[in-house]
Amino acid sequence: MFKIFKKKDKNNNENLAEASVAPKKASVEENTQAVPQAEILEQENTVIAETNPAKSTPKIRKVEGKKLDQQLEKPRNGFGKQVKNLFAIKKAIDDDLFEDIETTLLMADVGAKATMDIVDKTSKSVKRQKLGDTQEVYYSLMTHLMELAQTVEKPLIIDATKKPYVILVVGVNGVGKTTTIAKIARNFKQQGKSVMLAAGDTFRAAAVEQLKTWGEREDIPVVAQTTGSDSASVIFDAMSSAKAKNIDILIADTAGRLHTQSNLMQELGKISRVMKKNDETAPHETLIVVDGGTGQNAISQIGEFNKTTKLTGIAITKLDGTAKGGVLFNLAKEFGIPVRFIGVGEKSSDLKPYIAREFVEALLG
């Protein structure tokens, strides 16, 4: 497949220019850049990077708490170890090496498009830089994975001029949607924001009760109606209540639905239309929650939801429970929708704002 490799004299090899941005070489410093008239969601034990990561290397402040590489132990010992073992075993830069890289990425849910793009860029780097050592190829591979990961690094910014700032949360059953809502709400409240929840999943009594329980536990008001009520009506009423009470942020739950259920997907479109009758700019964020272990199925879900309601953000949950962990690269290549959060555990602080360099280092560094 990759008929471009010839043996090179190591004494004539150029240094890998891309190594300066390789995961292993990351610098650490505090980001103190202010964001005028907007506020960035900050999690426990985590600090958001710059708001324009495409033009500069993310700046990360290390703080106390469980390290991300420990929280991503399963994918790190699966996907990450497979990549490292590959370069430890392979000593020749040839077609077999690149075919093995391709297989490893595909097996880790990186996806066909992303895999071919990354492998192609890495092979071109080998030819252009005249690399003669597999460790240099490893750093080149990490560089191109990092570049792809950075294309979807964009933190959730709350526009204070929109009050309430409405976040509509969608997704299929079983991805951790309601729990994710509660974690986001708790962290906003810890920042001093007033938060309200709308129990728009009126198909399941358990979902309404779960959200109410979270609300009581965190002292966050929840607008809910009886099971079977019109979901759009519940969210409309919640918007009116939040506006009357001068609430900063309203987070609206919706029924977990299969992306193949056309009637439920149509209802989601109705919710968006009804929200605009209350505030023509709402929802200000439409966040889809996907399970990091579902691989290609997550691609299908996002594709179908995005047809019904324009998605502006993604939260990837349960990354701590899969040995693959490459779905984020797949999503980045397929859609380019910003990844707002990654879920790496059960605690509220385990829902973290997505920082590309931190993620790639923890997964593969």
Side-chain angles (χ1 to χ4, degrees):
M1 183 181 295
F2 301 96
K3 306 297 184 181
I4 62 172
F5 303 105
K6 296 179 181 180
K7 291 185 179 180
K8 302 292 179 181
D9 183 354
K10 292 187 178 181
N11 294 326
N12 293 327
N13 286 338
E14 299 177 9
N15 291 328
L16 178 59
E18 296 151 321
S20 61
V21 292
K24 195 171 182 180
K25 307 287 187 180
S27 60
V28 178
E29 56 182 295
E30 181 175 346
N31 174 29
T32 57
Q33 181 178 357
V35 181
Q37 297 183 342
E39 296 176 46
I40 300 175
L41 176 61
E42 182 175 335
Q43 298 282 90
E44 296 175 15
N45 302 331
T46 312
V47 176
I48 292 290
E50 293 179 11
T51 58
N52 193 8
K55 294 184 179 180
S56 59
T57 300
K59 299 176 182 179
I60 306 167
R61 182 175 66 191
K62 298 295 185 179
V63 290
E64 294 182 1
K66 194 172 183 180
K67 293 181 178 180
L68 187 59
D69 59 355
Q70 295 174 318
Q71 294 169 314
L72 292 176
E73 183 178 2
K74 282 189 177 180
R76 185 182 179 89
N77 287 335
F79 180 24
K81 185 173 289 186
Q82 288 171 6
V83 173
K84 286 186 176 180
N85 288 345
L86 173 62
F87 284 92
I89 296 171
K90 295 286 185 176
K91 299 303 180 182
I93 302 176
D94 54 17
D95 294 345
D96 288 342
L97 171 63
F98 275 80
E99 288 177 1
D100 287 342
I101 292 173
E102 180 180 316
T103 300
T104 301
L105 295 180
L106 288 172
M107 293 296 291
D109 285 340
V110 173
K113 288 183 181 179
T115 294
M116 294 308 298
D117 181 61
I118 291 166
V119 172
D120 182 61
K121 287 180 177 178
T122 304
S123 67
K124 287 178 179 177
S125 294
V126 170
K127 184 177 181 180
R128 183 177 63 253
Q129 298 292 333
K130 300 179 181 178
L131 306 183
D133 185 273
T134 55
Q135 191 63 25
E136 292 178 323
V137 181
Y138 170 78
Y139 283 125
S140 181
L141 174 64
M142 294 300 100
T143 293
H144 295 303
L145 283 166
M146 181 73 74
E147 288 172 350
L148 179 57
Q150 287 177 328
T151 63
V152 291
E153 181 187 311
K154 186 177 181 182
L156 176 58
I157 297 177
I158 303 302
D159 186 347
T161 66
K162 295 178 172 61
K163 205 167 184 179
Y165 187 90
V166 183
I167 302 173
L168 182 67
V169 183
V170 302
V172 304
N173 287 314
V175 296
K177 182 164 52 66
T178 304
T179 302
T180 297
I181 290 171
K183 290 177 179 180
I184 294 173
R186 181 175 184 268
N187 281 282
F188 274 130
K189 186 179 178 184
Q190 288 180 336
Q191 297 171 48
K193 305 298 176 188
S194 56
V195 185
M196 179 179 286
L197 304 179
D201 185 354
T202 56
F203 286 92
R204 295 190 306 122
V208 175
E209 291 306 313
Q210 184 183 5
L211 205 62
K212 284 182 176 179
T213 299
W214 275 105
E216 292 173 0
R217 183 183 303 170
E218 302 297 338
D219 194 25
I220 295 174
V222 178
V223 174
Q225 295 180 13
T226 58
T227 304
S229 299
D230 181 64
S231 182
S233 176
V234 173
I235 295 174
F236 183 92
D237 290 347
M239 291 177 66
S240 299
S241 177
K243 189 177 297 183
K245 296 177 181 179
N246 202 33
I247 296 293
D248 295 319
I249 300 163
L250 172 67
I251 306 176
D253 192 10
T254 58
R257 63 200 75 212
L258 292 175
H259 53 287
T260 55
Q261 294 175 309
S262 59
N263 59 323
L264 292 179
M265 295 300 286
Q266 289 171 4
E267 184 201 57
L268 188 58
K270 174 188 174 182
I271 290 173
S272 296
R273 293 191 297 271
V274 169
M275 292 175 77
K276 291 188 183 299
K277 293 181 180 180
N278 193 304
D279 180 349
E280 63 180 11
T281 67
H284 306 114
E285 169 84 357
T286 302
L287 182 75
I288 186 169
V289 181
V290 295
D291 185 331
T294 57
Q296 188 61 37
N297 199 26
I299 302 297
S300 301
Q301 292 168 24
I302 292 177
E304 291 302 317
F305 273 94
N306 202 34
K307 291 177 184 177
T308 304
T309 181
K310 185 65 177 178
L311 300 174
T312 56
I314 300 172
I316 306 176
T317 63
K318 307 181 184 181
L319 282 170
D320 58 314
T322 176
K324 294 184 176 182
V327 69
L328 186 144
F329 303 100
N330 198 348
L331 296 177
K333 187 63 180 178
E334 288 284 345
F335 303 105
I337 299 172
V339 175
R340 307 297 196 187
F341 307 100
I342 55 172
V344 291
E346 297 298 324
K347 297 179 181 178
S348 179
S349 58
D350 292 336
L351 182 72
K352 299 180 178 297
Y354 169 63
I355 300 172
R357 182 174 294 280
E358 188 180 66
F359 174 77
V360 175
E361 283 182 341
L363 184 66
L364 298 165

